[in-house]
Amino acid sequence: MSQPVCELNDGVKERIKQFRFSNNKCTAAVILKVDTNTLKVIIDTEYEDCTMDEIQEELPVSQPRFIVLSYVYNHDDGRVSYPLIFIFVSPQGCKPEQQMLYAGSVRALTKELEMTKVFDVRSTDEFTVEWIEEKLKHTA
């Protein structure tokens, strides 16, 4: 079994657990980043009752990020669900070392955080409502 490149900083797993079990009925997100000095995954920013556009605007265009997203998903049959989604954002212009740090940590992080819906996106411009709904349609 391979060792993860980066591990969760103290408290991050607990915060994601609280986030998972909050009774949020709106779109919310916890954005995680790698502290390159400690090689620990830390919380960068948290959003409550936000839009995908607001999250997209805050994402760095040349640095990777992990997003844990609680999304309000309206199914075609009228049901509403609130899936928890892990998204690896790896924009084209990232430094190769950064991409390797993040990419090498995705699998261990998603396992440790017990994430089942895991997607990746190569451009912050692609991170839209349409993109997320298309992804969810194929996993629902």
Side-chain angles (χ1 to χ4, degrees):
M1 184 150 156
S2 64
Q3 188 68 17
V5 177
C6 301
E7 51 190 48
L8 287 173
N9 197 38
D10 295 341
V12 173
K13 187 174 181 179
E14 188 57 37
R15 177 63 194 111
I16 298 300
K17 189 175 180 180
Q18 292 168 354
F19 184 71
R20 176 189 304 268
F21 293 110
S22 69
N23 286 325
N24 241 345
K25 299 294 184 219
C26 56
T27 297
V30 176
I31 298 179
L32 305 171
K33 70 178 183 178
V34 172
D35 178 334
T36 52
N37 296 322
T38 63
L39 296 182
K40 298 261 186 185
V41 176
I42 60 173
I43 294 175
D44 184 20
T45 322
E46 294 189 47
Y47 298 95
E48 285 186 38
D49 196 5
C50 58
T51 66
M52 294 290 283
D53 287 342
E54 290 169 324
I55 298 169
Q56 181 192 47
E57 286 171 21
E58 293 302 316
L59 290 172
V61 291
S62 62
Q63 293 179 349
R65 287 293 185 269
F66 300 121
I67 302 171
V68 179
L69 180 71
S70 175
Y71 186 74
V72 180
Y73 182 54
N74 296 293
H75 296 264
D76 292 337
D77 62 6
R79 292 177 298 124
V80 178
S81 64
Y82 304 91
L84 198 63
I85 306 159
F86 187 93
I87 303 164
F88 170 35
V89 182
S90 179
Q92 300 283 350
C94 295
K95 294 179 184 168
E97 311 82 56
Q98 277 190 321
Q99 281 189 318
M100 288 174 62
L101 276 178
Y102 280 77
S105 303
V106 170
R107 201 160 163 196
L109 282 178
T110 55
K111 186 175 181 183
E112 191 171 351
L113 296 174
E114 299 174 15
M115 303 297 297
T116 55
K117 293 186 184 329
V118 180
F119 308 124
D120 63 304
V121 64
R122 295 287 291 165
S123 164
T124 55
D125 292 341
E126 292 174 36
F127 185 70
T128 62
V129 168
E130 295 76 20
W131 177 82
I132 202 79
E133 298 217 344
E134 186 62 30
K135 293 288 189 185
L136 289 171
K137 249 183 219 169
H138 297 291
T139 62

